[in-house]
Amino acid sequence: MNYPLLENAFTKHDLNEGVKVLKSRQLTMGKITKNFEKIFAKRIGSKYALMVNSGSSANLLMLSAIVNPLYKKKLKFNDEVLIPAICWSTSLWPIVQLGLKPVFVDVDVDTLNISIKDLKNKITKNTKAIMCVHVLGISSDMNEIKKICKKKNIIILEDTCESLGANFNKLSLGTIGEFGTYSFYYSHQITSGEGGMIVCNNLENYNILKSLRSHGWSRDTIFHKKYKKKYKNLNEKFLFINSGYNLRPTEVQAAIGLSQFKKLRYFKNIRNSNRNKIISYLKKSNKWDNQFQFVEINNKIEPSWFGFALLINKEFLKNKNYFLKFLDQKKIETRPILSGNFLNQPAAKLYNFNKNKKFPNADEIEKRGFFIGLHTKKINSKTLQYLCENLLKIEKN
Ligand SMILES: Cc1ncc(COP(=O)(O)O)c(C=O)c1O
């Protein structure tokens, strides 16, 4: 018996959709990507969606857009961007790479997400944006964040790479701020192997993203006509109007991603039900002794889990390392919650971020937390029993 972090979520149909593209020989981005983008935008409740080759690329594109000369509220060198201490590496690095200054904010232990109280303390006159990293399928109180940001003129960016399908007050996470990003990496809510999406509601911003995604050229953007007229001597197919990357997905990724996307609600319900079953088994057991704390869900949030975070309670904490090794031997795979407090990582020390600042809650999550997988198939009673009985074996200090 085993309980891996990930199980293969591809169905035969998903793979067939990919094979059909291979057979068509049209592998580079085309009609299927466009169709996926259209369906994604509609379902998520955003005007525009643009597919890219990963969630990290979506974050890079999002940050590149807000420092771009064509962006109306363009940020300048060293403008501050708030970011939670529990984040992913590529939530952070585009901020740094694009000449902005990350200002780390502590998180709430109960929700793993950015702390509103600490966020208020960290705002200065130089704060121009906030990178909300919605951790593991939920968020902080986005109404509060919206209120604060509106008052202070702060741009909201949403790294929703871990929370596709989650809602806050009936709005999809990722659609509340100026831009939202998603990841379709193997372990996430849906997968195209690798892949990502970025959404926004402003036509001009969408076209900036489009141009940056493909070399900075004007093709297929609203800017094309104007530049074509002005630069009559240049070949209109090769008009470079902006800086750029190549962050495009392949049609294979789009076909598999679209096929998976149609099952988002189904996967979400199964994962939710599996999580409830695990919690219920643990709590009903006569061995339950409050070994773990589970993430709290605000009643405005409809979560979309892909992993199951557990915080070991203090009376059991001394045995954490021994316990995780024990689970490993039992083939129950675990991992840290994101990367723990990112400021404890050597990469953060290399850049000397927020020296001498303390993030006690992020440290606590790193110390007490770990997560296990939540799969897209209904957990059967044998697996449930195997998993929970082993989880309950953590010993008191
Ligand atoms: C919060 C967060 N942002 C961004 C990413 C990057 O996504 P990708 O792996 O698709 O590049 C991840 C990846 O797991 C993530 O957890």
Side-chain angles (χ1 to χ4, degrees):
M1 186 86 65
N2 67 350
Y3 190 81
L5 270 175
L6 332 162
E7 31 100 271
N8 201 316
F10 294 122
T11 62
K12 235 183 197 171
H13 183 261
D14 300 331
L15 298 178
N16 276 341
E17 290 299 295
V19 170
K20 266 200 259 171
V21 176
L22 287 171
K23 285 185 173 165
S24 78
R25 293 164 194 257
Q26 163 68 54
L27 305 195
T28 47
M29 191 180 79
K31 271 193 213 146
I32 302 172
T33 308
K34 261 206 176 122
N35 190 31
F36 184 17
E37 290 170 344
K38 232 166 115 185
I39 292 172
F40 189 94
K42 191 162 179 221
R43 154 80 173 78
I44 231 71
S46 179
K47 274 197 182 152
Y48 309 104
L50 199 82
M51 191 176 177
V52 285
N53 54 15
S54 73
S56 300
S57 297
N59 281 347
L60 179 63
L61 210 50
M62 172 159 78
L63 267 302
S64 300
I66 64 166
V67 298
N68 194 266
L70 291 184
Y71 183 65
K72 292 257 160 62
K73 296 171 275 181
K74 177 188 174 327
L75 270 62
K76 58 182 192 317
F77 181 71
N78 254 350
D79 276 346
E80 293 175 2
V81 181
L82 303 171
I83 179 167
I86 301 265
C87 64
W88 190 245
S89 75
T90 51
S91 321
L92 165 67
W93 293 118
I95 298 172
V96 181
Q97 287 152 348
L98 289 155
L100 302 169
K101 185 175 167 193
V103 173
F104 287 87
V105 180
D106 207 359
V107 294
D108 284 326
V109 174
D110 295 342
T111 67
L112 314 174
N113 275 270
I114 201 161
S115 151
I116 309 263
K117 188 169 158 224
D118 196 38
L119 183 160
K120 286 181 184 161
N121 291 334
K122 297 283 167 65
I123 294 176
T124 71
K125 64 180 194 322
N126 298 322
T127 309
K128 294 292 172 333
I130 176 170
M131 179 74 147
C132 295
V133 181
H134 303 311
V135 175
L136 282 175
I138 56 167
S139 71
S140 305
D141 188 330
M142 292 308 291
N143 280 350
E144 274 294 309
I145 292 183
K146 246 174 39 183
K147 241 190 265 163
I148 297 165
C149 290
K150 193 167 176 206
K151 205 162 135 203
K152 303 271 180 185
N153 226 353
I154 295 170
I155 298 167
I156 300 176
L157 310 172
E158 294 181 77
D159 178 343
T160 321
C161 287
E162 301 201 348
S163 298
L164 171 62
N167 298 326
F168 184 88
N169 253 358
K170 303 219 160 28
L171 288 178
S172 298
L173 289 183
T175 65
I176 295 164
E178 185 111 333
F179 298 98
T181 59
Y182 302 88
S183 163
F184 310 141
Y185 182 63
Y186 190 56
S187 55
H188 290 211
Q189 278 85 0
I190 64 156
T191 179
S192 56
E194 297 273 6
M197 197 71 87
I198 176 162
V199 298
C200 68
N201 279 319
N202 177 293
L203 178 68
E204 209 152 280
N205 292 345
Y206 167 63
N207 279 275
I208 293 172
L209 295 174
K210 226 188 217 181
S211 175
L212 297 181
R213 176 179 68 173
S214 289
H215 312 285
W217 62 31
S218 66
R219 263 186 233 178
D220 208 20
T221 72
I222 54 168
F223 310 119
H224 184 70
K225 235 183 178 170
K226 183 175 103 185
Y227 282 94
K228 188 177 115 179
K229 211 167 150 195
K230 195 164 171 199
Y231 293 88
K232 284 195 183 90
N233 55 328
L234 297 177
N235 183 326
E236 66 162 287
K237 279 195 180 155
F238 293 89
L239 259 182
F240 295 91
I241 59 165
N242 209 327
S243 55
Y245 310 99
N246 180 357
L247 304 176
R248 291 175 306 216
T250 65
E251 283 286 86
V252 181
Q253 286 168 296
I256 296 176
L258 175 56
S259 174
Q260 280 258 314
F261 186 62
K262 290 176 181 163
K263 296 187 281 264
L264 175 62
R265 180 164 291 280
Y266 172 73
F267 287 159
K268 174 172 148 178
N269 289 342
I270 291 188
R271 283 182 159 127
N272 202 15
S273 144
N274 287 348
R275 183 176 184 273
N276 290 341
K277 279 184 188 163
I278 297 167
I279 294 178
S280 162
Y281 188 107
L282 292 172
K283 288 196 166 172
K284 278 186 188 154
S285 164
N286 55 12
K287 292 174 204 140
W288 177 247
D289 194 13
N290 240 0
Q291 287 92 331
F292 307 110
Q293 179 186 337
F294 308 114
V295 171
E296 258 177 40
I297 310 156
N298 174 317
N299 61 10
K300 293 179 198 134
I301 295 175
E302 194 188 311
S304 177
W305 313 106
F306 79 80
F308 183 6
L310 297 106
L311 298 177
I312 299 174
N313 278 329
K314 297 206 168 111
E315 303 78 43
F316 296 83
L317 195 53
K318 275 197 184 150
N319 294 317
K320 183 184 174 194
N321 289 344
Y322 169 78
F323 176 62
L324 294 188
K325 270 189 209 141
F326 164 77
L327 291 181
D328 195 46
Q329 280 162 11
K330 294 285 174 192
K331 295 195 164 52
I332 296 169
E333 238 185 312
T334 65
R335 55 159 289 171
I337 295 174
L338 274 84
S339 37
N341 175 358
F342 197 80
L343 288 141
N344 294 336
Q345 295 285 346
K349 300 209 193 302
L350 192 65
Y351 279 76
N352 258 335
F353 292 131
N354 293 221
K355 239 173 140 186
N356 304 327
K357 295 248 163 58
K358 298 267 182 284
F359 302 90
N361 294 348
D363 281 334
E364 185 175 335
I365 290 168
E366 178 175 314
K367 201 165 145 202
R368 293 175 52 203
F370 69 97
F371 90 70
I372 57 172
L374 273 180
H375 305 157
T376 52
K377 295 181 187 87
K378 279 185 191 164
I379 191 165
N380 64 43
S381 53
K382 265 194 179 157
T383 308
L384 181 66
Q385 186 183 16
Y386 181 77
L387 171 68
C388 294
E389 289 300 329
N390 280 309
L391 286 173
L392 288 164
K393 282 191 180 143
I394 188 165
E395 286 177 13
K396 246 188 183 155
N397 299 338

